[in-house]
Amino acid sequence: MQKDTLFSAPINKLGDFSFDEAVAEVFPDMIQRSVPGYSNIITAIGMLAQRFATEHSNIYDLGCSRGAAILSMRRSLTHNKINIIGVDNSQPMVERCRSHLNAFHSDINVEILCDDIRNIEIKNASMVVLNFTLQFLPPDDRLALLTKIYQGLNPNGVLVLSEKFNFEKPKINELLIDLHHNFKRANGYSELEISQKRTALENVMRTDSIQTHKDRLKQAGFEQIELWFQCFNFGSMVAIK
Ligand SMILES: Nc1ncnc2c1ncn2[C@@H]1O[C@H](C[S@+](CC[C@H]([NH3+])C(=O)[O-])CC(=O)[O-])[C@@H](O)[C@H]1O
Ligand SMILES: O=C(O)C(=O)Cc1ccccc1
């Protein structure tokens, strides 16, 4: 696996973080070493797919990157009468996603679209995955996306929403951010890498509190909402229609 060293040398003009060729190349290493609980969440997405995927329905993975969640779901599904649709607007990610999925045999139909998740139609869905993607959407566009997802889900369909959170209580917020930095240090990132990446993400990734997410999911139409996993300032929620 290609090691993420993108922020290891001093960068003069630190631009905004983007999912370009360089990031796509090192992405599996980057996300594994940066997101506490990532592997657990990927495994659980497979377990949820096994429970919720109904025959002749669609599963959507919005912001699928290199397809880790799709692969986990495809492995866990016990029938093949299902259609998986992955969407990502980064061409370098989509290319790697397609070739990664093609490297394993499966009878389950998977389609990877290079598009903005705000443009695609969601219909006949038994499951929708937003695994660390909503945080990259402009805050004003988030409710419309969740409403579209709610409307495209079948009764008893599930949404998995994983995010980095912020916390209203300042001491708690500081503590959980600091623990996340400890986690990154323990995974070999230097102070410079941590601080340069933090700056690069500032304008691009805007986090919400768990309460803001719950309120927005309610507004979109969901009533059954719960946080099922949390590690420091990262976590994952489920919402059932
Ligand atoms: N508007 C958009 N439309 C389409 N794609 C988008 C958009 N905005 C961002 N993306 C895409 O969302 C992905 C977010 S990464 C998801 C990890 C993956 N889910 C995983 O389970 O490994 C999370 C992270 O890097 O923290 C990137 O591939 C972007 O190109
Ligand atoms: O690296 C970080 O500090 C993060 O917040 C998570 C992350 C992981 C991969 C791409 C962008 C952000």
Side-chain angles (χ1 to χ4, degrees), residues 17 19 27 30-31 35 38 42 45 61-69 87-90 93 115-118 129-133 135-138 205:
F17 183 88
F19 293 97
F27 189 71
M30 172 184 277
I31 195 144
V35 175
Y38 176 75
I42 290 294
I45 287 171
D61 183 7
L62 306 179
C64 59
S65 297
R66 290 178 49 155
V87 186
D88 205 291
N89 65 353
S90 157
M93 287 288 195
D115 204 344
D116 194 298
I117 57 176
R118 289 166 291 190
V129 175
L130 276 170
N131 203 35
F132 302 105
T133 304
Q135 59 200 16
F136 292 102
L137 217 60
M205 186 171 128

Side-chain angles (χ1 to χ4, degrees), residues 169-210:
K169 297 183 184 80
K171 282 194 181 171
I172 300 290
N173 197 45
E174 231 173 273
L175 171 66
L176 297 181
I177 289 172
D178 208 45
L179 287 167
H180 174 231
H181 291 168
N182 283 352
F183 171 86
K184 291 186 79 163
R185 261 176 234 123
N187 285 325
Y189 284 118
S190 67
E191 295 310 312
L192 180 68
E193 284 177 292
I194 293 171
S195 83
Q196 289 193 139
K197 174 128 183 247
R198 192 183 191 183
T199 306
L201 280 171
E202 232 150 52
N203 299 319
V204 182
M205 186 171 128
R206 270 165 263 147
T207 56
D208 293 314
S209 67
I210 294 170

Side-chain angles (χ1 to χ4, degrees), residues 21 52-53 161:
E21 194 76 39
F52 281 91
L161 174 62

